[in-house]
Amino acid sequence: RRVHGEIILGEKMQASELILYSYFRSSASWRVRIALNLKKVTYKYMPIHLVKDGGAQRKEDYIKINPMKHVPALAIGDQILIESMPICEYLEETYPEPGLLPKDPIRKARVRAFCEMVNSGMQPLQNLKVLQRIESEYHGKGAEWAKPWIADGLRALEAFISKETGKYTFGDQVTLADVFLIPQALSAQARFGIDLNDYPRIAEVVKNLNELPEFEAAKPQNQPDFEA
């Protein structure tokens, strides 16, 4: 359900065509890939290399798409959506099945809160441009600096869902919380050397989510722009 292509700007797109501007390692892009897979939405994959040649996100062509110089961006016809949370909310509203937000208002708010704990409280501290600035201007080791903050965030997530039961973060139905958890948890493990066994509820949920094909297909190593 994914088509790989190169960036083509200024070309008229069909109203129904979705184009995802993504980077294989970006956890925010990863979330959107999972959501698209779960919704079974066909899309075209446009790689934006965040490192090579100074970063394609800093090129004038891409700044026209996303002035924040971030990925992901989702083009829907001639409209552009940016930031993973509103993109996922758009997909939820436009492709309601399977639902990724509970119907109950309190449960829905808790799922959204979990997503924001990751989105606002954790991921920005490991963002590539933050780590690059620490390394280049403050002569620090970016990954080492970020690791304690990521561990602290995982402790908070673990506490937040400690009373939840079921296969996934909030019961036996996949929600947006799972969409946001997997990129954060697996990046913490692979990039920052964090042992998920220190967070038993998270580790259990990650194990279960890893068995789902929609989550497997969204992983960095399964993207057309993957680099080892």
Side-chain angles (χ1 to χ4, degrees), residues 29-204:
S29 298
W30 191 344
R31 300 166 194 160
V32 175
R33 296 194 301 261
I34 295 171
L36 286 163
N37 292 347
L38 288 168
K39 300 290 187 179
K40 297 182 171 25
V41 177
T42 300
Y43 65 97
K44 192 173 185 178
Y45 187 103
M46 293 295 184
I48 302 296
H49 203 298
L50 301 185
V51 180
K52 186 178 179 181
D53 298 326
Q57 78 278 17
R58 298 186 176 97
K59 306 300 183 186
E60 184 178 348
D61 284 352
Y62 188 71
I63 293 173
K64 292 176 182 177
I65 293 171
N66 188 346
M68 279 295 288
K69 298 176 275 190
H70 289 172
V71 289
L74 185 69
I76 307 128
D78 59 359
Q79 299 295 315
I80 303 288
L81 300 181
I82 63 172
E83 301 296 335
S84 62
M85 190 68 186
I87 291 174
C88 287
E89 296 258 16
Y90 166 83
L91 293 172
E92 177 72 357
E93 293 170 4
T94 309
Y95 305 93
E97 297 298 331
L100 298 177
L101 286 171
K103 300 298 184 185
D104 177 76
I106 294 293
R107 298 291 288 170
K108 184 184 295 185
R110 281 182 56 79
V111 168
R112 284 179 166 142
F114 185 96
C115 293
E116 281 304 316
M117 290 168 75
V118 173
N119 193 41
S120 301
M122 297 178 67
Q123 195 275 334
L125 294 168
Q126 68 182 59
N127 189 280
L128 179 62
K129 69 180 182 181
V130 173
L131 302 187
Q132 288 175 332
R133 179 67 64 89
I134 290 169
E135 291 172 0
S136 65
E137 296 193 14
Y138 297 95
H139 309 292
K141 297 180 179 179
E144 291 184 15
W145 177 86
K147 185 174 179 177
W149 299 111
I150 297 167
D152 189 58
L154 288 170
R155 282 191 290 271
L157 295 179
E158 180 79 5
F160 191 70
I161 61 171
S162 62
K163 296 182 180 179
E164 298 290 339
T165 59
K167 293 178 65 177
Y168 308 125
T169 308
F170 288 94
D172 290 321
Q173 181 176 341
V174 171
T175 66
L176 277 185
D178 302 298
V179 170
F180 277 64
L181 173 62
I182 277 288
Q184 185 63 48
L186 296 187
S187 292
Q189 187 177 55
R191 295 176 59 197
F192 300 95
I194 290 177
D195 187 354
L196 295 183
N197 291 320
D198 292 338
Y199 315 95
R201 173 65 182 156
I202 288 174
E204 177 189 13

Side-chain angles (χ1 to χ4, degrees), residues 4 22-25 33 45 47-49 220 223-227:
H4 178 218
S22 176
Y23 181 56
F24 72 95
R25 191 180 286 123
R33 296 194 301 261
Y45 187 103
I48 302 296
H49 203 298
Q223 305 318 302
D225 58 335
F226 173 69
E227 297 173 355

